[in-house]
mmCIF file of all heavy atoms in Angstrom:
data_model
loop_
_atom_site.group_PDB
_atom_site.id
_atom_site.type_symbol
_atom_site.label_atom_id
_atom_site.label_comp_id
_atom_site.label_asym_id
_atom_site.label_seq_id
_atom_site.Cartn_x
_atom_site.Cartn_y
_atom_site.Cartn_z
ATOM 1 N N ARG S 95 2.002 -9.885 4.710
ATOM 2 C CA ARG S 95 2.109 -10.864 5.800
ATOM 3 C C ARG S 95 2.822 -10.240 7.004
ATOM 4 O O ARG S 95 2.440 -10.452 8.148
ATOM 5 C CB ARG S 95 2.871 -12.100 5.321
ATOM 6 C CG ARG S 95 2.962 -13.219 6.359
ATOM 7 C CD ARG S 95 3.738 -14.415 5.813
ATOM 8 N NE ARG S 95 5.135 -14.099 5.561
ATOM 9 C CZ ARG S 95 6.086 -14.042 6.494
ATOM 10 N NH1 ARG S 95 5.783 -14.273 7.758
ATOM 11 N NH2 ARG S 95 7.326 -13.768 6.173
ATOM 12 N N ARG S 96 3.855 -9.455 6.742
ATOM 13 C CA ARG S 96 4.628 -8.840 7.826
ATOM 14 C C ARG S 96 3.974 -7.575 8.387
ATOM 15 O O ARG S 96 4.316 -7.134 9.489
ATOM 16 C CB ARG S 96 6.048 -8.509 7.347
ATOM 17 C CG ARG S 96 6.894 -9.749 7.104
ATOM 18 C CD ARG S 96 8.315 -9.419 6.646
ATOM 19 N NE ARG S 96 8.325 -8.841 5.305
ATOM 20 C CZ ARG S 96 8.544 -7.563 5.023
ATOM 21 N NH1 ARG S 96 8.772 -6.697 5.983
ATOM 22 N NH2 ARG S 96 8.535 -7.128 3.775
ATOM 23 N N ASN S 97 3.055 -6.978 7.636
ATOM 24 C CA ASN S 97 2.374 -5.745 8.038
ATOM 25 C C ASN S 97 0.861 -5.914 7.900
ATOM 26 O O ASN S 97 0.217 -5.203 7.118
ATOM 27 C CB ASN S 97 2.841 -4.576 7.158
ATOM 28 C CG ASN S 97 4.319 -4.321 7.259
ATOM 29 O OD1 ASN S 97 4.781 -3.654 8.178
ATOM 30 N ND2 ASN S 97 5.073 -4.860 6.309
ATOM 31 N N PRO S 98 0.272 -6.850 8.635
ATOM 32 C CA PRO S 98 -1.141 -7.173 8.393
ATOM 33 C C PRO S 98 -2.098 -6.013 8.642
ATOM 34 O O PRO S 98 -3.102 -5.885 7.936
ATOM 35 C CB PRO S 98 -1.417 -8.340 9.339
ATOM 36 C CG PRO S 98 -0.359 -8.257 10.391
ATOM 37 C CD PRO S 98 0.850 -7.674 9.712
ATOM 38 N N GLU S 99 -1.808 -5.157 9.614
ATOM 39 C CA GLU S 99 -2.728 -4.042 9.856
ATOM 40 C C GLU S 99 -2.689 -3.055 8.697
ATOM 41 O O GLU S 99 -3.737 -2.607 8.209
ATOM 42 C CB GLU S 99 -2.406 -3.348 11.185
ATOM 43 C CG GLU S 99 -2.799 -4.192 12.382
ATOM 44 C CD GLU S 99 -2.715 -3.438 13.698
ATOM 45 O OE1 GLU S 99 -1.938 -2.453 13.795
ATOM 46 O OE2 GLU S 99 -3.435 -3.834 14.642
ATOM 47 N N ARG S 100 -1.497 -2.707 8.240
ATOM 48 C CA ARG S 100 -1.401 -1.787 7.099
ATOM 49 C C ARG S 100 -2.027 -2.420 5.859
ATOM 50 O O ARG S 100 -2.696 -1.743 5.082
ATOM 51 C CB ARG S 100 0.050 -1.415 6.834
ATOM 52 C CG ARG S 100 0.625 -0.498 7.883
ATOM 53 C CD ARG S 100 2.026 -0.050 7.538
ATOM 54 N NE ARG S 100 2.583 0.733 8.627
ATOM 55 C CZ ARG S 100 3.621 1.541 8.504
ATOM 56 N NH1 ARG S 100 4.214 1.695 7.346
ATOM 57 N NH2 ARG S 100 4.071 2.218 9.535
ATOM 58 N N ALA S 101 -1.817 -3.717 5.670
ATOM 59 C CA ALA S 101 -2.404 -4.391 4.511
ATOM 60 C C ALA S 101 -3.928 -4.367 4.579
ATOM 61 O O ALA S 101 -4.602 -4.151 3.559
ATOM 62 C CB ALA S 101 -1.890 -5.826 4.427
ATOM 63 N N ARG S 102 -4.486 -4.555 5.757
ATOM 64 C CA ARG S 102 -5.952 -4.505 5.898
ATOM 65 C C ARG S 102 -6.489 -3.111 5.575
ATOM 66 O O ARG S 102 -7.565 -2.967 4.998
ATOM 67 C CB ARG S 102 -6.367 -4.919 7.312
ATOM 68 C CG ARG S 102 -6.315 -6.420 7.525
ATOM 69 C CD ARG S 102 -6.914 -6.819 8.878
ATOM 70 N NE ARG S 102 -6.891 -8.261 9.013
ATOM 71 C CZ ARG S 102 -5.947 -8.944 9.647
ATOM 72 N NH1 ARG S 102 -4.933 -8.299 10.217
ATOM 73 N NH2 ARG S 102 -5.988 -10.260 9.716
ATOM 74 N N VAL S 103 -5.732 -2.087 5.938
ATOM 75 C CA VAL S 103 -6.120 -0.720 5.582
ATOM 76 C C VAL S 103 -6.161 -0.587 4.060
ATOM 77 O O VAL S 103 -7.109 -0.051 3.489
ATOM 78 C CB VAL S 103 -5.156 0.305 6.212
ATOM 79 C CG1 VAL S 103 -5.329 1.688 5.594
ATOM 80 C CG2 VAL S 103 -5.362 0.369 7.719
ATOM 81 N N LEU S 104 -5.141 -1.093 3.382
ATOM 82 C CA LEU S 104 -5.062 -0.945 1.930
ATOM 83 C C LEU S 104 -6.158 -1.711 1.200
ATOM 84 O O LEU S 104 -6.512 -1.358 0.073
ATOM 85 C CB LEU S 104 -3.680 -1.385 1.432
ATOM 86 C CG LEU S 104 -2.502 -0.582 1.983
ATOM 87 C CD1 LEU S 104 -1.197 -1.048 1.348
ATOM 88 C CD2 LEU S 104 -2.702 0.906 1.778
ATOM 89 N N LEU S 105 -6.720 -2.729 1.827
ATOM 90 C CA LEU S 105 -7.814 -3.469 1.196
ATOM 91 C C LEU S 105 -9.054 -2.592 1.014
ATOM 92 O O LEU S 105 -9.898 -2.884 0.172
ATOM 93 C CB LEU S 105 -8.169 -4.715 2.016
ATOM 94 C CG LEU S 105 -7.130 -5.838 2.019
ATOM 95 C CD1 LEU S 105 -7.595 -6.981 2.922
ATOM 96 C CD2 LEU S 105 -6.842 -6.344 0.617
ATOM 97 N N HIS S 106 -9.169 -1.521 1.786
ATOM 98 C CA HIS S 106 -10.333 -0.637 1.675
ATOM 99 C C HIS S 106 -10.269 0.278 0.459
ATOM 100 O O HIS S 106 -11.297 0.616 -0.113
ATOM 101 C CB HIS S 106 -10.474 0.220 2.936
ATOM 102 C CG HIS S 106 -10.951 -0.554 4.113
ATOM 103 N ND1 HIS S 106 -12.270 -0.869 4.314
ATOM 104 C CD2 HIS S 106 -10.271 -1.090 5.157
ATOM 105 C CE1 HIS S 106 -12.391 -1.562 5.425
ATOM 106 N NE2 HIS S 106 -11.198 -1.712 5.963
ATOM 107 N N GLY S 107 -9.086 0.721 0.077
ATOM 108 C CA GLY S 107 -8.963 1.700 -0.993
ATOM 109 C C GLY S 107 -9.025 3.121 -0.444
ATOM 110 O O GLY S 107 -9.702 3.395 0.552
ATOM 111 N N ALA S 108 -8.335 4.030 -1.110
ATOM 112 C CA ALA S 108 -8.251 5.423 -0.639
ATOM 113 C C ALA S 108 -9.614 6.100 -0.628
ATOM 114 O O ALA S 108 -9.885 6.951 0.221
ATOM 115 C CB ALA S 108 -7.271 6.208 -1.513
ATOM 116 N N GLY S 109 -10.491 5.736 -1.540
ATOM 117 C CA GLY S 109 -11.815 6.354 -1.606
ATOM 118 C C GLY S 109 -12.606 6.177 -0.325
ATOM 119 O O GLY S 109 -13.344 7.080 0.089
ATOM 120 N N GLU S 110 -12.461 5.031 0.308
ATOM 121 C CA GLU S 110 -13.174 4.787 1.566
ATOM 122 C C GLU S 110 -12.605 5.618 2.717
ATOM 123 O O GLU S 110 -13.221 5.731 3.771
ATOM 124 C CB GLU S 110 -13.146 3.303 1.922
ATOM 125 C CG GLU S 110 -13.997 2.451 0.990
ATOM 126 C CD GLU S 110 -14.065 1.012 1.449
ATOM 127 O OE1 GLU S 110 -14.334 0.780 2.645
ATOM 128 O OE2 GLU S 110 -13.829 0.124 0.606
ATOM 129 N N PHE S 111 -11.414 6.190 2.498
ATOM 130 C CA PHE S 111 -10.797 7.071 3.484
ATOM 131 C C PHE S 111 -11.037 8.541 3.123
ATOM 132 O O PHE S 111 -10.249 9.407 3.460
ATOM 133 C CB PHE S 111 -9.301 6.765 3.616
ATOM 134 C CG PHE S 111 -9.024 5.550 4.447
ATOM 135 C CD1 PHE S 111 -9.126 4.277 3.895
ATOM 136 C CD2 PHE S 111 -8.691 5.668 5.780
ATOM 137 C CE1 PHE S 111 -8.890 3.151 4.661
ATOM 138 C CE2 PHE S 111 -8.459 4.542 6.560
ATOM 139 C CZ PHE S 111 -8.565 3.278 5.997
ATOM 140 N N ASP S 112 -12.169 8.803 2.432
ATOM 141 C CA ASP S 112 -12.623 10.163 2.134
ATOM 142 C C ASP S 112 -11.622 10.952 1.296
ATOM 143 O O ASP S 112 -11.420 12.154 1.505
ATOM 144 C CB ASP S 112 -12.936 10.901 3.451
ATOM 145 C CG ASP S 112 -13.823 12.114 3.254
ATOM 146 O OD1 ASP S 112 -14.553 12.173 2.244
ATOM 147 O OD2 ASP S 112 -13.778 13.014 4.108
ATOM 148 N N GLN S 113 -11.011 10.285 0.311
ATOM 149 C CA GLN S 113 -9.958 10.890 -0.499
ATOM 150 C C GLN S 113 -10.366 12.222 -1.132
ATOM 151 O O GLN S 113 -9.555 13.138 -1.219
ATOM 152 C CB GLN S 113 -9.536 9.893 -1.589
ATOM 153 C CG GLN S 113 -8.453 10.392 -2.504
ATOM 154 C CD GLN S 113 -8.152 9.413 -3.609
ATOM 155 O OE1 GLN S 113 -8.729 8.347 -3.685
ATOM 156 N NE2 GLN S 113 -7.239 9.775 -4.474
ATOM 157 N N GLU S 114 -11.597 12.339 -1.553
ATOM 158 C CA GLU S 114 -12.016 13.577 -2.234
ATOM 159 C C GLU S 114 -11.968 14.798 -1.323
ATOM 160 O O GLU S 114 -11.902 15.927 -1.813
ATOM 161 C CB GLU S 114 -13.395 13.418 -2.853
ATOM 162 C CG GLU S 114 -14.513 13.224 -1.851
ATOM 163 C CD GLU S 114 -15.854 12.975 -2.506
ATOM 164 O OE1 GLU S 114 -15.903 12.309 -3.555
ATOM 165 O OE2 GLU S 114 -16.867 13.440 -1.943
ATOM 166 N N ASN S 115 -11.963 14.592 -0.020
ATOM 167 C CA ASN S 115 -11.906 15.719 0.914
ATOM 168 C C ASN S 115 -10.548 15.913 1.578
ATOM 169 O O ASN S 115 -10.415 16.734 2.494
ATOM 170 C CB ASN S 115 -12.991 15.553 1.995
ATOM 171 C CG ASN S 115 -14.371 15.715 1.403
ATOM 172 O OD1 ASN S 115 -14.645 16.673 0.696
ATOM 173 N ND2 ASN S 115 -15.242 14.758 1.666
ATOM 174 N N TRP S 116 -9.546 15.147 1.126
ATOM 175 C CA TRP S 116 -8.205 15.300 1.693
ATOM 176 C C TRP S 116 -7.653 16.694 1.410
ATOM 177 O O TRP S 116 -7.981 17.303 0.381
ATOM 178 C CB TRP S 116 -7.254 14.298 1.083
ATOM 179 C CG TRP S 116 -7.446 12.878 1.477
ATOM 180 C CD1 TRP S 116 -8.439 12.339 2.234
ATOM 181 C CD2 TRP S 116 -6.609 11.800 1.078
ATOM 182 N NE1 TRP S 116 -8.263 10.989 2.345
ATOM 183 C CE2 TRP S 116 -7.150 10.624 1.642
ATOM 184 C CE3 TRP S 116 -5.463 11.705 0.301
ATOM 185 C CZ2 TRP S 116 -6.572 9.372 1.456
ATOM 186 C CZ3 TRP S 116 -4.886 10.453 0.115
ATOM 187 C CH2 TRP S 116 -5.431 9.304 0.696
ATOM 188 N N PRO S 117 -6.763 17.173 2.257
ATOM 189 C CA PRO S 117 -6.031 18.399 1.920
ATOM 190 C C PRO S 117 -5.253 18.210 0.610
ATOM 191 O O PRO S 117 -4.828 17.100 0.270
ATOM 192 C CB PRO S 117 -5.074 18.578 3.106
ATOM 193 C CG PRO S 117 -5.718 17.815 4.231
ATOM 194 C CD PRO S 117 -6.413 16.660 3.584
ATOM 195 N N GLU S 118 -5.087 19.293 -0.105
ATOM 196 C CA GLU S 118 -4.443 19.248 -1.428
ATOM 197 C C GLU S 118 -3.067 18.576 -1.387
ATOM 198 O O GLU S 118 -2.727 17.778 -2.251
ATOM 199 C CB GLU S 118 -4.324 20.669 -1.981
ATOM 200 C CG GLU S 118 -3.722 20.754 -3.372
ATOM 201 C CD GLU S 118 -4.629 20.197 -4.465
ATOM 202 O OE1 GLU S 118 -5.833 20.002 -4.228
ATOM 203 O OE2 GLU S 118 -4.112 19.942 -5.565
ATOM 204 N N ALA S 119 -2.265 18.897 -0.398
ATOM 205 C CA ALA S 119 -0.906 18.348 -0.329
ATOM 206 C C ALA S 119 -0.918 16.822 -0.260
ATOM 207 O O ALA S 119 -0.093 16.152 -0.896
ATOM 208 C CB ALA S 119 -0.154 18.923 0.867
ATOM 209 N N GLU S 120 -1.851 16.260 0.491
ATOM 210 C CA GLU S 120 -1.925 14.802 0.624
ATOM 211 C C GLU S 120 -2.446 14.158 -0.660
ATOM 212 O O GLU S 120 -2.000 13.091 -1.055
ATOM 213 C CB GLU S 120 -2.799 14.423 1.827
ATOM 214 C CG GLU S 120 -2.099 14.539 3.159
ATOM 215 C CD GLU S 120 -1.912 15.969 3.654
ATOM 216 O OE1 GLU S 120 -2.464 16.907 3.028
ATOM 217 O OE2 GLU S 120 -1.209 16.147 4.660
ATOM 218 N N ARG S 121 -3.374 14.828 -1.340
ATOM 219 C CA ARG S 121 -3.847 14.286 -2.622
ATOM 220 C C ARG S 121 -2.718 14.290 -3.645
ATOM 221 O O ARG S 121 -2.571 13.353 -4.423
ATOM 222 C CB ARG S 121 -5.056 15.077 -3.129
ATOM 223 C CG ARG S 121 -6.343 14.636 -2.423
ATOM 224 C CD ARG S 121 -7.577 15.245 -3.037
ATOM 225 N NE ARG S 121 -7.756 16.583 -2.504
ATOM 226 C CZ ARG S 121 -8.050 17.655 -3.219
ATOM 227 N NH1 ARG S 121 -8.240 17.565 -4.498
ATOM 228 N NH2 ARG S 121 -8.191 18.822 -2.641
ATOM 229 N N ILE S 122 -1.896 15.328 -3.612
ATOM 230 C CA ILE S 122 -0.742 15.392 -4.521
ATOM 231 C C ILE S 122 0.237 14.279 -4.200
ATOM 232 O O ILE S 122 0.749 13.606 -5.103
ATOM 233 C CB ILE S 122 -0.078 16.783 -4.447
ATOM 234 C CG1 ILE S 122 -0.985 17.815 -5.113
ATOM 235 C CG2 ILE S 122 1.302 16.766 -5.092
ATOM 236 C CD1 ILE S 122 -0.554 19.257 -4.899
ATOM 237 N N ARG S 123 0.512 14.070 -2.913
ATOM 238 C CA ARG S 123 1.431 12.990 -2.513
ATOM 239 C C ARG S 123 0.967 11.644 -3.030
ATOM 240 O O ARG S 123 1.746 10.854 -3.574
ATOM 241 C CB ARG S 123 1.526 12.914 -0.980
ATOM 242 C CG ARG S 123 2.717 13.593 -0.403
ATOM 243 C CD ARG S 123 2.672 13.621 1.100
ATOM 244 N NE ARG S 123 2.813 12.343 1.748
ATOM 245 C CZ ARG S 123 2.586 12.150 3.053
ATOM 246 N NH1 ARG S 123 2.217 13.153 3.822
ATOM 247 N NH2 ARG S 123 2.740 10.966 3.582
ATOM 248 N N LEU S 124 -0.322 11.359 -2.848
ATOM 249 C CA LEU S 124 -0.857 10.090 -3.324
ATOM 250 C C LEU S 124 -0.751 9.993 -4.839
ATOM 251 O O LEU S 124 -0.324 8.969 -5.368
ATOM 252 C CB LEU S 124 -2.310 9.923 -2.877
ATOM 253 C CG LEU S 124 -2.991 8.636 -3.349
ATOM 254 C CD1 LEU S 124 -2.275 7.415 -2.782
ATOM 255 C CD2 LEU S 124 -4.453 8.634 -2.965
ATOM 256 N N GLY S 125 -1.109 11.053 -5.536
ATOM 257 C CA GLY S 125 -1.033 11.052 -6.994
ATOM 258 C C GLY S 125 0.380 10.829 -7.494
ATOM 259 O O GLY S 125 0.606 10.069 -8.450
ATOM 260 N N GLU S 126 1.337 11.471 -6.858
ATOM 261 C CA GLU S 126 2.734 11.306 -7.270
ATOM 262 C C GLU S 126 3.212 9.874 -7.053
ATOM 263 O O GLU S 126 3.903 9.305 -7.902
ATOM 264 C CB GLU S 126 3.628 12.293 -6.523
ATOM 265 C CG GLU S 126 3.456 13.721 -6.983
ATOM 266 C CD GLU S 126 4.212 14.734 -6.146
ATOM 267 O OE1 GLU S 126 4.703 14.397 -5.045
ATOM 268 O OE2 GLU S 126 4.307 15.894 -6.599
ATOM 269 N N GLY S 127 2.838 9.292 -5.920
ATOM 270 C CA GLY S 127 3.230 7.903 -5.661
ATOM 271 C C GLY S 127 2.616 6.945 -6.669
ATOM 272 O O GLY S 127 3.295 6.056 -7.194
ATOM 273 N N ASN S 128 1.337 7.132 -6.957
ATOM 274 C CA ASN S 128 0.662 6.267 -7.930
ATOM 275 C C ASN S 128 1.234 6.442 -9.332
ATOM 276 O O ASN S 128 1.416 5.466 -10.064
ATOM 277 C CB ASN S 128 -0.844 6.551 -7.936
ATOM 278 C CG ASN S 128 -1.530 6.087 -6.665
ATOM 279 O OD1 ASN S 128 -1.001 5.268 -5.913
ATOM 280 N ND2 ASN S 128 -2.706 6.623 -6.411
ATOM 281 N N THR S 129 1.532 7.686 -9.704
ATOM 282 C CA THR S 129 2.094 7.963 -11.031
ATOM 283 C C THR S 129 3.468 7.327 -11.178
ATOM 284 O O THR S 129 3.784 6.737 -12.217
ATOM 285 C CB THR S 129 2.166 9.484 -11.269
ATOM 286 O OG1 THR S 129 0.834 10.003 -11.244
ATOM 287 C CG2 THR S 129 2.801 9.809 -12.600
ATOM 288 N N ALA S 130 4.284 7.436 -10.145
ATOM 289 C CA ALA S 130 5.635 6.856 -10.203
ATOM 290 C C ALA S 130 5.565 5.340 -10.368
ATOM 291 O O ALA S 130 6.300 4.761 -11.186
ATOM 292 C CB ALA S 130 6.418 7.225 -8.942
#
Side-chain angles (χ1 to χ4, degrees):
R95 184 180 66 79
R96 290 181 292 106
N97 300 277
E99 288 190 335
R100 288 185 185 198
R102 283 188 178 97
V103 166
L104 299 184
L105 290 178
H106 287 280
E110 290 186 49
F111 282 81
D112 199 23
Q113 180 184 359
E114 66 184 36
N115 292 310
W116 289 6
E118 182 70 15
E120 281 75 8
R121 280 188 278 135
I122 289 170
R123 261 173 68 191
L124 179 62
E126 288 173 347
N128 290 342
T129 297

